[in-house]
Structure formats: structure tokens, C-alpha cells
Amino acid sequence: MVESLLPTRFQFHLQRLEPKRRLTSLLASHKTTLFTFLWIAAFGSVFLWQRTSYVAGSGAGPVGGKLTIFGKIKPVRPLPRLRPVVFDLKDFGGVGDGFTLNTEAFERAVVSISKLGRNSGGGQLNVPPGRWLTAPFNLTSHMTLFLAEDSEILGVEDEKYWPLMPPLPSYGYGRERPGPRYGSLIHGQNLKDIVITGHNGTINGQGQSWWKKHQRRLLNNTRGPLVQIMWSSDIVITDITMRDSPFWTLHPYDCKNVTIRNVTILAPVTGAPNTDGIDPDSCEDMVIEDCYISTGDDAIAIKSGWDQFGIAYGRPSTNILIRNLIVRSVISAGVSIGSEMSGGISNVTIENLLIWNSRRGIRIKTAPGRGGYIKNITYKNLTLDNVRVGIVIKTDYNEHADDNYNREAYPTLSGFSFTGIHGQGVRVPVRIHGSEQIPVRNVTFRDMSVGLTYKKKHIFQCSFVKGRVYGSISPRPCENFDLYDEEGRLVKPAAESNVTDIDYDI
């Protein structure tokens, strides 16, 4: 598991994750003693198995064909009843052998739930243990999709089974190619009251073939996400694993009241392009908490539309809380905002994060032509371990849908608070580059102490930044950082240089 690569001093962050991971850590720390115990237990179980599993004259083998310990079968976790009506995928002809295509079984189950109606309380579809190959299918309102332990929904790899959909209205184009885009493996539109949960079952996009075709430019359309829910509300996604998405993994689009909790999202950290973990896009009132994310792009990327299309669509992402996460991104950043932010992004709180073995810790990216705004963003209690650049704000991320964007649509950036930023193994703690057209205003640092991998004169790399520093900050602000006191008075203008030996205590 990728989690085992975490430094020992940060293992306590994994306590919120599932018991199987804590057992792995326990086995590693007491390897010799437990190995002896398990060897004795295994020998004893074989002895008892030989004595008790075969019934004289019956010809029967081990009980139910399952490995037994001391003559007892490991109990199966009962599936909870979360809706008044519960269905099993097998009841609709599902076959969990990893080869049979189960698309029709999923579709028939969803149709049955859709007929129950809102007043009935909805329906639950249980996906039992097994490997359930399927093409993309849609969800319905008032539905719970429950993935049992050892169940895995597998996306069919051949793109001919994946339907094409119109471009997102706030993007205008497919994100990678003009024209239509592939749909998601699990999709929903205009829905209410959706739950995806389980006993840590897995949704697997089998994205390897998609990544290779994208890199070889063999696809004519933008790849599809693993799970995408659009124009919907009251969404809960908990206690599952998502892995190897063809493109972005979990993409809520123009949704309200979304909770994502205790979700594991995995993809190879290299060679899996654009496999973002969670991309809230024009979403409102959202919580992301207690998750582990390690992917081939941003672990989380908050968005709200692209250039003139996002400006016209005009749906911001706002009121978002992200907390208690362990994230890694070798290619990009732990948590990003943008670069598609033309509808505006505001009132975001990001707290209690461990970002490890990543290229960047947190990043905000925008450019001329985006328009919109990024404001009132709060970061608290971030731990950076072996991160190349800790905090990045970039205003020249010039990637555009087409050439028809407004060159003078300048975004506004203001109100960024950084409190309790700690860690070690960081090359550059802060890199904030505004511009004359896009200055970065009202930046505040409190309680920051980051251990560096090597010494450098100006460790804060800043331009066109106006902000405040409270208390002792290590490393200290550099040139090109306009420093103001609490009354708004200029303490240090950006024109001054070589200020790395000044300790501001305001």
C-alpha cells in the first residue's frame, strides 16, 4: 500500500483510516513475534482442518470451500438496510466474475428504484462481493449504491462502450479535445438524495488503456471521469475506494449540499495523466473530510468554469470545507484552486492536512482571460513533508479553451490566510507571483515554521503581493512583499530588498 511509505513520525495521521491499514502497520512493527504466532496458528488450523473439515463418508472438503481458522469460518459483514426497499445486483442477472458485462443488470436495478418514488423513501442497490464489469450507467434520485466488502465495480476498457456527451456548459469545449466528451462510469444528472457508500468496496475505472491512448494522442474526445454527478443536491459519498480513473476521479458539477467522507482515491503517481482526486466544480455547501488521496495530478482541485464560458455560466464554487486529509501529488499539488475559476471561488477553508512526497503543497492558479475571483480562502494546520514548493499562487497559467477569450478579463485575488504551516524537507516554502494586472491582496501569515532542504537567500519568492505577517515567521518574508500592519499602514514596501534577517512582530 502507498500509505506504508509515509514517514514514521506521521503514522498517527492514519488512525482515521480503515482497520485493515492499522493492522498492516501493527504487523510491520511486531514482525518477529507475530510471525511466530501466525506460524503456530497456521499449523494448528491445518491440523484442525484435517480433523474437522472432512465428514466421514461425505466426500466434502473444507467448509464452504473457505479457509477456516480453528474450525470457524470468518463471518461475513451483514449489509445494512439504509432504505425501505433493498435490491441485490444478482437479482437482476448480475454476474461478478470480472468478465461478464453487467451494464443491463445495473440499468434494470436503477429503473426499479426509480419507480419507487420519493414518498417511498427510495431504494438501495447492494453490490455483493465479486468483480462486476460494466459500461457506464446512470443513477436515479433517492438511491443508495452500496458496495459490500470485497466488491469491485470495473469499468469496461473499450471506449466504444462509453457514451459521448456535450461539453460542460461552463467549459464550452471538451477539456482535452474540442467537441463532445466521454461520459463517466457512474453518472447522474438533475438528481436529489444520492448516496454512494459501502464496506470499502471499490470503483475501478481500469484507466491504464485510457492513459496510454491519451499519451499517444489516439483519442478524439476528452476522457470521462470515474464518477460525475451534475446539477444535483443532497449527495453523500462515504466509505468506498475509487481507483484508476480514466480522467478526473470524482467530479461534482454545479451541485449543492455534498458530503464526501472517509473515501480513498488512488492512481499511479506518474503515468496516469489528469487523474485528479476530487474536483468540486461550481459547487456550493460542500464538505470533504477524513480521506486519503494519492493520484497522478491534483489530489483536490476546486474549479468553476473556463474563460468566457465560465464567465457566462456564472456559477461559483463557494462554502467548501476540506479537513483531516492525507494527500500526495508527485506531479501537481495536494490542494489546488483553479486554473478554471471563471465563475468565482470563495469562502473555502482547508485545515488539518498532511501533504507528503509532493511537487507542491497547495496551489492557486489563474491567468488573464479567466475573469472571476478567488477570495476568502483560509488554510490552517498544514503539515508539509518532502514537498518541493509549499505554497504557490500563480497568475500566468495561460491555458485557454480557444483564442476567443477576453484578454482583459483579469481575475481578482484577495483574502488569503495561512496559519499553522509546518513541516520539513521543503525547497521553497512560498512562491506568490502576482502581476500588475492581477495583484495578490490581503495575504496573512501566522505561525509558520518550515524546515528547508537547502539554504537560499530569498526563500519567499514574491511579486505584486500585499499582506501581513503576525509573530515570528521562519523563513522570513522576502523582497517584493508589501507588508501592512493591522491598521492598513505600509510597514515595508516591495522595493526594499535583502530583508531576510528582519523578524516582524506586529
Side-chain angles (χ1 to χ4, degrees):
M1 293 293 290
V2 292
E3 300 91 316
S4 63
L5 301 175
L6 276 168
T8 302
R9 61 188 175 279
F10 291 127
Q11 289 294 333
F12 71 94
H13 286 276
L14 292 176
Q15 291 177 357
R16 292 181 175 269
L17 299 183
E18 59 187 290
K20 286 193 284 187
R21 294 182 186 158
R22 298 200 295 272
L23 177 59
T24 302
S25 176
L26 178 64
L27 290 172
S29 61
H30 301 283
K31 181 167 59 179
T32 303
T33 303
L34 289 174
F35 179 82
T36 303
F37 172 80
L38 291 173
W39 186 88
I40 295 171
F43 181 83
S45 68
V46 171
F47 176 76
L48 290 174
W49 170 71
Q50 289 178 329
R51 288 188 59 195
T52 62
S53 295
Y54 288 90
V55 179
S58 69
V63 179
K66 297 179 180 179
L67 176 65
T68 61
I69 303 295
F70 304 118
K72 296 181 179 180
I73 300 175
K74 175 186 173 183
V76 177
R77 296 177 69 182
L79 301 184
R81 186 183 185 93
L82 304 176
R83 300 277 186 178
V85 181
V86 179
F87 299 101
D88 189 293
L89 187 61
K90 290 182 179 179
D91 296 337
F92 298 91
V95 179
D97 59 4
F99 301 101
T100 304
L101 198 62
N102 292 280
T103 314
E104 292 185 1
F106 277 108
E107 290 174 342
R108 286 194 290 265
V110 172
V111 168
S112 295
I113 294 173
S114 69
K115 293 178 179 179
L116 296 174
R118 181 179 67 179
N119 295 332
S120 70
Q124 174 176 328
L125 174 61
N126 289 336
V127 181
R131 305 179 76 238
W132 308 89
L133 185 68
T134 182
F137 65 91
N138 294 323
L139 303 177
T140 188
S141 292
H142 313 293
M143 174 180 178
T144 294
L145 178 66
F146 192 97
L147 282 71
E149 186 176 14
D150 298 324
S151 68
E152 187 172 23
I153 297 175
L154 299 172
V156 66
E157 295 181 78
D158 191 338
E159 66 268 20
K160 73 180 181 182
Y161 289 97
W162 291 63
L164 290 175
M165 303 181 64
L168 295 168
S170 60
Y171 286 69
Y173 281 51
R175 188 60 184 80
E176 299 175 313
R177 298 282 188 273
R181 59 192 174 93
Y182 287 105
S184 57
L185 179 64
I186 298 177
H187 192 81
Q189 293 186 193
N190 301 302
L191 305 181
K192 188 176 179 62
D193 181 22
I194 299 298
V195 179
I196 303 176
T197 187
H199 287 153
N200 199 34
T202 298
I203 303 172
N204 186 340
Q206 301 199 107
Q208 293 82 356
S209 62
W210 290 91
W211 307 332
K212 291 178 182 178
K213 290 176 182 178
H214 169 73
Q215 291 165 334
R216 296 171 183 171
R217 302 187 69 81
L218 298 177
L219 296 172
N220 295 322
N221 301 97
T222 298
R223 293 167 288 158
L226 187 64
V227 177
Q228 183 178 63
I229 302 177
M230 305 171 61
W231 303 305
S232 301
S233 63
D234 303 330
I235 301 158
V236 177
I237 301 175
T238 67
D239 301 298
I240 61 169
T241 293
M242 302 182 185
R243 67 178 309 133
D244 296 342
S245 173
F247 190 54
W248 299 343
T249 303
L250 176 54
H251 185 212
Y253 180 83
D254 199 351
C255 292
K256 295 182 179 180
N257 194 19
V258 181
T259 299
I260 300 169
R261 179 184 299 119
N262 196 29
V263 171
T264 300
I265 300 179
L266 303 172
V269 293
T270 58
N274 310 110
T275 49
D276 297 7
I278 305 173
D279 286 21
D281 202 337
S282 296
C283 287
E284 181 179 351
D285 299 333
M286 185 170 184
V287 175
I288 303 171
E289 60 185 357
D290 304 325
C291 297
Y292 179 91
I293 305 174
S294 176
T295 59
D297 208 308
D298 297 313
I300 294 178
I302 303 173
K303 304 175 181 293
S304 67
W306 200 8
D307 290 351
Q308 70 271 30
F309 305 105
I311 295 172
Y313 192 70
R315 301 284 201 285
S317 281
T318 186
N319 299 337
I320 297 175
L321 172 61
I322 300 170
R323 63 186 176 189
N324 306 332
L325 268 59
I326 301 173
V327 297
R328 177 171 67 153
S329 175
V330 173
I331 299 298
S332 193
V335 178
S336 286
I337 294 177
S339 70
E340 308 92 333
M341 42 64 61
S342 301
I345 297 173
S346 65
N347 302 337
V348 178
T349 297
I350 300 165
E351 61 185 14
N352 303 333
L353 262 64
L354 167 61
I355 304 168
W356 68 290
N357 281 12
S358 297
R359 184 177 182 126
R360 305 171 188 89
I362 57 175
R363 179 164 67 158
I364 296 170
K365 46 186 177 175
T366 186
R370 290 287 191 270
Y373 54 83
I374 302 174
K375 62 182 181 180
N376 300 336
I377 314 297
T378 300
Y379 300 89
K380 298 189 292 186
N381 300 329
L382 307 186
T383 300
L384 309 173
D385 185 73
N386 191 27
V387 173
R388 185 179 179 92
V389 185
I391 298 167
V392 179
I393 301 180
K394 183 179 178 65
T395 58
D396 60 350
Y397 197 85
N398 288 307
E399 185 180 16
H400 301 281
D402 58 26
D403 291 330
N404 298 320
Y405 67 94
N406 180 1
R407 270 67 173 175
E408 296 183 358
Y410 299 117
T412 60
L413 278 64
S414 65
F416 304 96
S417 173
F418 300 92
T419 304
I421 314 298
H422 302 288
Q424 65 177 20
V426 179
R427 286 189 72 178
V428 179
V430 177
R431 180 178 289 158
I432 303 177
H433 291 308
S435 66
E436 186 174 357
Q437 294 80 19
I438 312 174
V440 183
R441 297 185 173 94
N442 299 329
V443 182
T444 301
F445 290 95
R446 294 180 176 88
D447 182 22
M448 180 172 182
S449 178
V450 177
L452 306 178
T453 55
Y454 67 97
K455 293 186 178 296
K456 193 170 183 179
K457 183 177 180 181
H458 297 309
I459 303 169
F460 272 52
Q461 299 177 4
C462 312
S463 58
F464 294 96
V465 180
K466 296 182 178 181
R468 299 179 178 89
V469 176
Y470 294 85
S472 180
I473 302 295
S474 175
R476 299 176 179 90
C478 69
E479 62 184 15
N480 297 326
F481 192 102
D482 282 341
L483 185 65
Y484 292 79
D485 64 18
E486 293 182 83
E487 303 300 326
R489 296 184 296 253
L490 183 64
V491 176
K492 180 192 74 65
E496 293 187 14
S497 61
N498 193 26
V499 298
T500 55
D501 294 328
I502 297 176
D503 182 12
Y504 294 102
D505 191 358
I506 300 174

